[in-house]
Amino acid sequence: NVAEQKSDKGSVFSDLTPEELSATVDYLKKNLGKTFVLATDAKPTDNCIYYVDVKYPTKQQALDYLDRDGEKPKREALAVVFFGDQEEPNITEYVVGPLPNPSYSRDITLEKYKEKLPYYRRPVIDKEYADAYEFVYEKEFSTAPHFLKALGYDGSNFAALTTVPRGFKSGDRSTWFVLFVKVKESCFAVHPVGLEVLLDHKSLDVSKWKITKAFYNGAYFMNMADLEKQFNAGKVEVIEIQNVGPENDIGSMQPKVTPQPGAPLQFNPVGNRYTVHKNQVTFQSWSFTYGMNPNSGLRLFDIRFNNERIAYEISTQEAIALYGSNAPGGMITRYLDGSFGIGRFSFELVRGVDCPYLATYVDTHFLMESETPDTTKNSICIFEQNLGVPLRRHYSNMHSMYYGGLASTVLIVRAVSTLINYDYVWDFIFYQNGVIEAKIHATGYISSSFYYADGKEYGSRVGEHTLGTLHTHFINYKVDLDVGGLDNSIMTQDMKFNPLNIPWQPEVKIQRPKVVRSVLETENQAAFELHTMTPRYIHFSSNTTNKWGHPRSYRVQIASFAGDFLPEESPVQKAMGWARYKLAVTKRKDDEFVSSSIYNQNDPWTPTVAFSKFINNENIQNQDLVAWITVGFLHIPHSEDLPNTATPGNAVGFFLRPYNYFDVDPSVHSPDGVYFQSD
Amino acid sequence: NVAEQKSDKGSVFSDLTPEELSATVDYLKKNLGKTFVLATDAKPTDNCIYYVDVKYPTKQQALDYLDRDGEKPKREALAVVFFGDQEEPNITEYVVGPLPNPSYSRDITLEKYKEKLPYYRRPVIDKEYADAYEFVYEKEFSTAPHFLKALGYDGSNFAALTTVPRGFKSGDRSTWFVLFVKVKESCFAVHPVGLEVLLDHKSLDVSKWKITKAFYNGAYFMNMADLEKQFNAGKVEVIEIQNVGPENDIGSMQPKVTPQPGAPLQFNPVGNRYTVHKNQVTFQSWSFTYGMNPNSGLRLFDIRFNNERIAYEISTQEAIALYGSNAPGGMITRYLDGSFGIGRFSFELVRGVDCPYLATYVDTHFLMESETPDTTKNSICIFEQNLGVPLRRHYSNMHSMYYGGLASTVLIVRAVSTLINYDYVWDFIFYQNGVIEAKIHATGYISSSFYYADGKEYGSRVGEHTLGTLHTHFINYKVDLDVGGLDNSIMTQDMKFNPLNIPWQPEVKIQRPKVVRSVLETENQAAFELHTMTPRYIHFSSNTTNKWGHPRSYRVQIASFAGDFLPEESPVQKAMGWARYKLAVTKRKDDEFVSSSIYNQNDPWTPTVAFSKFINNENIQNQDLVAWITVGFLHIPHSEDLPNTATPGNAVGFFLRPYNYFDVDPSVHSPDGVYFQSD
Ligand SMILES: [Ca+2]
Ligand SMILES: [Ca+2]
Ligand SMILES: [Ca+2]
Ligand SMILES: [Ca+2]
Ligand SMILES: [Cu+2]
Ligand SMILES: [Cu+2]
């Protein structure tokens, strides 16, 4: 029952090929009339290409092509350029097309953002980090030789971890770098040395950068020279770092016993029962396209069941983590992973651990801080998984003797991103009964602070000098459901007990549950704050009805263990405003294509994309609607987070479930059905 | 790393063998001096043996034996006897021992319940149902020949479904039987004919039973004769039933396409990596015993990791469903499945659908409404499952280049119970990192009412004359954690944002999250009502600390989509009082061994076990504590519930997670660890 993929039309959503990436860069370099320096060499005062990604056609254009035999949209690229070598340094976004042989480029910055993009909002590139580390290790550290010697620094055994945001107001670019012991066979991130330095790297002139504060083991200093002075005066108690080896490494992932392969494995007796053709996947009645946004990660388009579109887009938008600590880097940290690159850092998957051994592994191509494309081999896996549980079953021993059932096998699309220390496993899961699930598992290393004083108020001590710092994870998804067409409304259902005088015994009163339904009128009504009571059923509902007269709909069911989001008085909360809502439904707009921005991280005080603006009380009845779903969990680390956070209990996500959409469960058409009778 | 099971001491928790069951019955029949009739033949005025199950030693006795080389507790049975042939008919519970050769029996009814058990609280046995059906079909139906002919009754094509409770006050035994069309190859439960009859079967003299009300298609009648009269007078519009065949059967589970086996399967390259020795299971560092309570289902005891006990008992207690409808049977229904028999109706499992093909399948033995033991073959499955997701993993490309990880394989113990129409999949899941998960998936057929008038206020119409009626499922678990010994306290953790003046820039204020901890003092503080805000982390905490000075604990994390529970004014709510709380922690007591009772179903107005009494503000610091966990979900049926409710999105449960219990994640000792480096 494999859905037929009659055409290659899904290629309209494909990521750029290496050739297309190169052609875009070549075109810009030839036609913009600017001098470019490779990002890996670029000083802040140079121009460089930050990244290139596909620029999709508008939804209207895409649907004209997909559904109405309209013209194939032009293939275009989005190129993000850092202009440091310009009178008014800035970030500019270009659309370049048509690919593969571009003939035009267009500066879309103003159109897209209604403002120019100040240069200070740019993400920190590797070269800027390298310059920062050089500044810290070569220049600043040279002012504190005795202290560093006492600490155990040998000139190369420290690693620095960036924190964000980088200051307290727009234009600031002051980063606390937290110092850790490098560990050859494991991760530095759980071995803090107690030293943190605040580098002001706002100036485009690297020689003007300076350390404006240092922190060691609970005390603040003007800079490393000040720390050295206090140390020499006997006022600083130094805790000498220990060499970390497998025996005392809480972060060691080396098995403590000899591995004995033998875990159960899945095999596919008839080979793959799904197809992966370029960016297009089919599995039983399902078809969809997949791609990888270098910033925000996996993106699926044109998700259909029985060739009828259920969602135009389902994609990850952003992942954030808000920390608390008694050390400076930890206490201010609010990571917006999209600005680091959830897709870019989705590395090669390991067969048999990250995905089943026999999964289909595909490569992604990207161009970032470079002028030539890079390939990450095997960075997305696609596989069918037998969940080991029935999708449905019934054993009948009354009146008729039979058994019917179906093993639940699903198609999973997965990528795993590693953002420095921690890892997210991103799954999109397709069930045989029309259900789609999105699920994220958290794993990898926790962040940590140097353990001192009242550290336990901010987490658990998990090592001799390591404090696992509390944080809350929030992840945002865009779900552009198109249920039975574009025009949808939000229907809610819940239950309510009502007193009832029993019809056949009216003196008796019982409590009877009844369905309570409503249709939400406005975006504001459909913006559900994190910890408010919410109708238990929330549906994207269509104007069409099923055989039994009910509106065909898909239910959005969220599974989340979210902690608290920042209070309104926080000056950075608007940069991640989506996290205020477990679910917000808005009228879809071309210019509200994403809920976050890579520029929000370094200027959260004036967010480039402020999600709250999407919610402006527009009517949401019979409209093309988008659900923005936030899931998350509060993470107070504990010893068992070492060496890595484990996935059990640390998975959150949501289900999209057909609800009166079909006339019966479509899995009756599955080839896996089992049915037998006896007398 | 298989935990060594040095002894067979776990047999102290084993279910009774067929020989032990028989010996118990033989002893009672010989020594009670009463006349017994086989339950299958027993009139209400007879004595019969209802069921026999194991009677455990007290926890003290068991621990003396397990931990302190104490005497092996006597092996005993619990026998429940219905005494209809007695001056004061009653239910009596006996302890019989020592098995296998009993020499004593003891009436424990008064000691256990502080009252005699009135006879009217007894569950309805098959014989009583048979008598009821005979009454309805033979006697009552004979008074309405023309109506029934018009309806399409042919003398044998109807099936009746019981509803509960059976009245409105203690002593009532009036049951609405809802009539359905029998379907040869499928389930009657989704084909209501519109007719329901209220049978008063309170009298112990079957000849005095009577129909006190009838319902047809929205109207109430005195009885079938009244309905006939009205029909003959042309006052009843009859909707003739249709024959149900595969083509029009919304309940048909026959695949609509030719099955093509080929789904992915799991194989075990080195064979099973777990052991099942009688009732004792080991898997890596885990060991525990399993058994099946005929009423309440799966029960695990003495759950250990690295030979240290984590929980004394983890067991299902009860499953209820509260319905709403505009038809009488549906509007009053509150099923307490324990009184029907979650364990008794855990039927044979189907290889490859209910559990993986290569799972270990074991039989259960029970004695119920019988004097001889029955065996259900293959009713529990035990298997290791590769979840297809890493338990943990990290890909390092900073400072050191390596990969470490571990595929998540788990041991699952599963039974699937079928209570007439619907099926529950009961899982207990053991992870390699010390996490235990309990999970219940709902599947099988929905209950339904005849669709008429305002039916949609109570669910969805899912067939020509079928209303899928809304209901809420609640499931209760007993979790007797013993974390680091018997003496535990309940610690809670959560987060709170506090304003902070930045130490290095005091004029700036940020919002910093902090851990908020507390230790609960009393049972009332630890009784968390369903929809109240609850601390995000709730721990069973011990007096011992881990290497880093934190109390060793296990965290209880609940995943539930529960609907509303009955309001306080409901006269039956106390019979299922546990469902008011998502979590309630009580001081463990021998006489608070279970949260429900099989006698609560037929006398919910005077519950034999009233859970709310457990919560009497006792101190819960440094005590042997038990967690009573309730999960559930609101189910407003929809067309895709046909033929069966599907499991995706319909799974709820909880995790028990080590939290500062170990010094690092114990999965570092797994034989499945993967680690490699590159330069
Ligand atoms: Ca809007
Ligand atoms: Ca839409
Ligand atoms: Ca108590
Ligand atoms: Ca306990
Ligand atoms: Cu975390
Ligand atoms: Cu249900």
Side-chain angles (χ1 to χ4, degrees), chain A residues 185 265 267 325 334 388 393-394 414 423 461 511-512 537 550 634 639-640 660-662 665 675, chain B residues 185 265 267 325 334 388 393-394 414 423 461 511-512 537 550 634 639-640 642 660 662 675:
Chain A
E185 292 161 334
L265 287 171
F267 75 106
S325 173
R334 286 90 175 83
R393 66 89 78 183
H394 180 68
R414 174 178 298 164
D423 301 56
R461 183 181 184 177
Q511 298 290 330
R512 173 168 62 167
Y537 282 45
H550 290 281
L634 168 62
S639 53
E640 295 84 0
N660 290 324
Y661 181 90
F662 302 103
D665 178 352
Y675 180 88
Chain B
E185 292 162 332
L265 288 170
F267 75 106
S325 173
R334 287 89 174 83
R393 64 89 81 181
H394 181 68
R414 173 178 297 165
D423 301 57
R461 183 181 184 179
Q511 298 291 329
R512 173 169 61 167
Y537 282 45
H550 291 281
L634 168 62
S639 52
E640 294 84 1
L642 281 295
N660 290 325
F662 302 103
Y675 180 88

Side-chain angles (χ1 to χ4, degrees), chain B residues 15 53 56 290-301 313-318 337-338 341-346 364 380 415 417 426 428:
Chain B
D15 293 347
D53 185 24
Y56 291 124
Y290 69 92
M292 181 75 93
N293 182 306
N295 304 307
S296 55
L298 281 175
R299 50 189 173 196
L300 309 186
F301 282 88
E313 177 185 359
I314 301 177
S315 58
T316 56
Q317 294 289 300
E318 184 61 280
D337 291 339
I342 296 168
R344 174 190 192 180
F345 295 128
S346 287
T364 47
I380 297 176
S417 56
W426 304 93
F428 292 106

Side-chain angles (χ1 to χ4, degrees), chain A residues 176 184-188 253 256-257 259-260 264-267 323 325 334 347 353-354 385-386 388 390-395 397 400 402-404 414 416 418 420-421 423 431 433 443-445 456-464 472 495 497 504 511-515 517 531 536-537 546 548 550 557 561-565 569 634-640 642 644 646-650 657-663 665 668-669 671 675 677, chain B residues 176 183-187 253 256-257 259-260 264-267 323 325 331 334 347 353-354 385-386 388 390-395 397 399-400 402-404 406 414 418 420-421 423 431 433 443-445 456-464 472 495 497 504 511-515 517 531 536-537 548 550 557 561-562 564-565 569 634-640 642 644 646-650 657-663 665 668-669 671 675 677:
Chain A
W176 277 103
K184 188 173 166 1
E185 292 161 334
S186 163
C187 185
F188 63 91
M253 298 182 72
K256 301 277 180 264
V257 298
Q260 290 192 297
L265 287 171
Q266 197 180 264
F267 75 106
Y323 283 81
S325 173
R334 286 90 175 83
F347 296 118
V353 183
D354 291 330
Q385 175 82 2
N386 187 326
L391 180 72
R392 53 178 173 80
R393 66 89 78 183
H394 180 68
Y395 179 106
N397 75 327
S400 51
Y402 68 90
Y403 174 88
R414 174 178 298 164
V416 185
T418 301
I420 306 177
N421 51 303
D423 301 56
Y431 291 81
N433 65 336
T443 180
Y445 286 94
K456 287 180 182 173
E457 309 262 305
Y458 303 94
S460 294
R461 183 181 184 177
V462 296
E464 197 60 36
T472 61
M495 64 174 289
F497 280 103
W504 61 97
Q511 298 290 330
R512 173 168 62 167
K514 197 169 176 176
V515 182
R517 295 189 178 92
H531 302 300
R536 292 189 180 87
Y537 282 45
N546 75 352
W548 316 113
H550 290 281
Q557 182 182 357
F561 297 102
D564 289 336
F565 181 59
E569 51 266 44
L634 168 62
H635 192 174
I636 308 175
H638 49 106
S639 53
E640 295 84 0
L642 280 296
N644 279 181
T647 52
N650 289 327
R657 301 172 60 180
Y659 191 97
N660 290 324
Y661 181 90
F662 302 103
D663 297 330
D665 178 352
V668 297
H669 298 285
Y675 180 88
Q677 287 178 283
Chain B
W176 276 104
V183 182
K184 187 172 168 2
E185 292 162 332
S186 162
C187 185
M253 298 182 72
K256 301 279 181 262
V257 297
Q260 290 192 297
L265 288 170
Q266 198 179 263
F267 75 106
Y323 283 81
S325 173
M331 77 178 71
R334 287 89 174 83
F347 296 118
V353 183
D354 290 331
Q385 175 81 2
N386 186 326
L391 180 74
R392 54 179 171 79
R393 64 89 81 181
H394 181 68
Y395 180 106
N397 76 326
H399 301 303
S400 50
Y402 68 91
Y403 173 90
L406 191 60
R414 173 178 297 165
T418 300
I420 308 179
N421 52 302
D423 301 57
Y431 291 82
N433 65 334
T443 180
Y445 286 95
K456 287 181 182 174
E457 309 263 305
Y458 302 94
S460 295
R461 183 181 184 179
V462 296
E464 196 60 35
T472 60
M495 64 175 287
F497 281 102
W504 61 97
Q511 298 291 329
R512 173 169 61 167
K514 197 169 174 175
V515 182
R517 295 189 179 92
H531 302 300
R536 292 189 180 87
Y537 282 45
W548 315 114
H550 291 281
Q557 181 183 357
F561 298 102
D564 288 337
F565 181 58
E569 51 265 45
L634 168 62
H635 192 175
I636 309 175
H638 48 105
S639 52
E640 294 84 1
L642 281 295
N644 278 181
T647 51
N650 290 327
R657 301 172 60 180
Y659 191 98
N660 290 325
Y661 182 89
F662 302 103
D663 296 330
D665 178 351
V668 297
H669 299 284
Y675 180 88
Q677 287 179 281

Side-chain angles (χ1 to χ4, degrees), chain A residues 323 442 446 471 473 633 635 645:
Chain A
Y323 283 81
I446 54 171
H471 54 282
H473 294 276
F633 66 100
H635 192 174
T645 294

Side-chain angles (χ1 to χ4, degrees), chain B residues 59 480-483 485-486 488 540 588 623-626:
Chain B
K59 185 169 178 179
D480 180 359
L481 284 164
D482 288 348
V483 178
L486 290 177
N488 292 157
F540 267 62
R588 194 203 65 81
Q623 303 287 344
D624 185 358
L625 302 178
V626 173

Side-chain angles (χ1 to χ4, degrees), chain B residues 321 323 422 424 442 446 469 471-473 633-637 641 645:
Chain B
Y323 283 81
Y422 54 102
Y424 284 130
I446 55 171
T469 45
H471 54 281
T472 60
H473 295 275
F633 66 99
L634 168 62
H635 192 175
I636 309 175
D641 279 311
T645 295

Side-chain angles (χ1 to χ4, degrees), chain B residues 209-226:
Chain B
W209 291 3
K210 58 178 180 297
I211 295 293
T212 58
K213 202 60 77 175
F215 168 90
Y216 179 69
N217 191 13
Y220 289 88
F221 304 89
M222 315 246 295
N223 49 33
M224 289 300 288
D226 181 31

